[in-house]
Amino acid sequence: MGLTLDELSGTEPLATTDEASLAALKYAIRRFDIPDAPPLHPEDLPRELAALNEHRYRTELGAVLQKLPGVLAKSTNYAHATQSPDAWTRVADTYSVVYWLAVRFRWMHLAELAFMKQRLASERAHPNAATVAARDEAGTFRNSGDFAGGIAIVDRANVEAESTLEGRDRAFGLSILHLRGLSLAGRLKDEAAAGEHIRAAWRTAEEYGGDADEHGIHLGVVFKCHTHIRSEARVTAAW
């Protein structure tokens, strides 16, 4: 389709009124391993992350930027206090939102920093968090124009997911990885690789057994979007 990376990912200017939110976000990221007091109401954290993702789904960038620092800080502090895999998975998922936001503003250094912290959190989380982190890592390669490097990340993550995940977690993880591989192969104009990834994505999505809304990712909607824009194996990254 001939789209540039900026057209693909979308770009937005940062209003001057958002500088404080950006500074707060950088502060929360910087203090990943310097925990503060845990939140008084940790039971609210799942709801707050879900609300953040709702803003993300609607591409409400200002709302995401304003709320993200607080959600990230509280989630990280709680994870340090409990050392719970559930809590660290939530931290990793919140860093996935940081990555998404950074890409929209084309803050590529922040996007790379986000996936690095996401990967660190995923090492303390449930195994499926590492798969989402790898998908975002491959996305940083894609958004920087290093499509071959992104494919290498996807291939490595596929091997790991095959050996570490089971059941629906495995089907979901492999689906999102193959979709990322599909977008990268499309950018490389590698029709054979694109065809392999789309067939594998169909297969694993069928194993999952329905639309998914996990880790801030809508699998069913994304997959249908891809199938509608492809012509044979010529795929343009729209995800």
Side-chain angles (χ1 to χ4, degrees):
M1 294 171 65
L3 298 177
T4 67
L5 288 173
D6 282 348
E7 289 170 325
L8 169 64
S9 300
T11 55
E12 289 289 339
L14 176 63
T16 55
T17 53
D18 287 333
E19 291 289 352
S21 295
L22 178 58
L25 178 59
K26 291 179 178 179
Y27 180 84
I29 293 171
R30 189 180 308 119
R31 296 180 69 86
F32 176 85
D33 269 328
I34 306 178
D36 204 339
L40 295 177
H41 298 285
E43 67 277 8
D44 292 338
L45 291 176
R47 176 185 55 78
E48 290 178 3
L49 178 56
L52 191 63
N53 274 314
E54 285 299 322
H55 290 302
R56 173 185 179 181
Y57 299 153
R58 295 191 293 267
T59 324
E60 297 170 346
L61 304 184
V64 172
L65 180 56
Q66 289 169 13
K67 295 181 179 181
L68 187 51
V71 175
L72 180 61
K74 288 188 286 186
S75 297
T76 304
N77 293 336
Y78 181 68
H80 277 291
T82 64
Q83 294 301 319
S84 159
D86 284 344
W88 280 113
T89 298
R90 188 175 303 114
V91 174
D93 287 348
T94 307
Y95 271 107
S96 186
V97 181
V98 178
Y99 158 79
W100 175 87
L101 183 70
V103 168
R104 293 305 170 281
F105 283 115
R106 299 299 289 170
W107 299 331
M108 300 316 298
H109 290 300
L110 185 60
E112 293 189 10
L113 179 61
F115 94 74
M116 291 174 66
K117 296 298 178 72
Q118 181 183 2
R119 185 167 58 189
L120 288 173
S122 71
E123 293 173 356
R124 314 174 198 185
H126 293 298
N128 53 7
T131 306
V132 180
R135 171 240 191 206
D136 289 347
E137 181 179 4
T140 65
F141 280 78
R142 184 195 66 180
N143 292 317
S144 298
D146 185 355
F147 309 126
I151 287 285
I153 296 297
V154 168
D155 289 344
R156 184 175 66 191
N158 271 325
V159 173
E160 182 176 355
E162 291 274 10
S163 62
T164 61
L165 301 180
E166 298 179 348
R168 286 169 65 84
D169 281 347
R170 177 182 175 278
F172 177 84
L174 290 174
S175 292
I176 65 172
L177 288 172
H178 283 301
L179 285 171
R180 184 65 89 207
L182 169 61
S183 68
L184 288 158
R187 281 284 156 180
L188 283 171
K189 303 187 188 307
D190 186 338
E191 296 189 1
E196 290 176 5
H197 280 296
I198 201 166
R199 285 190 293 273
W202 269 119
R203 184 172 61 252
T204 52
E206 288 171 353
E207 290 175 7
Y208 187 85
D211 287 356
D213 183 1
E214 298 186 31
H215 306 284
I217 301 169
H218 282 143
L219 178 63
V221 172
V222 169
F223 191 75
K224 291 169 187 173
C225 177
H226 260 296
T227 59
H228 286 176
I229 65 167
R230 71 186 177 96
S231 173
E232 299 301 330
R234 292 187 301 158
V235 183
T236 299
W239 177 67

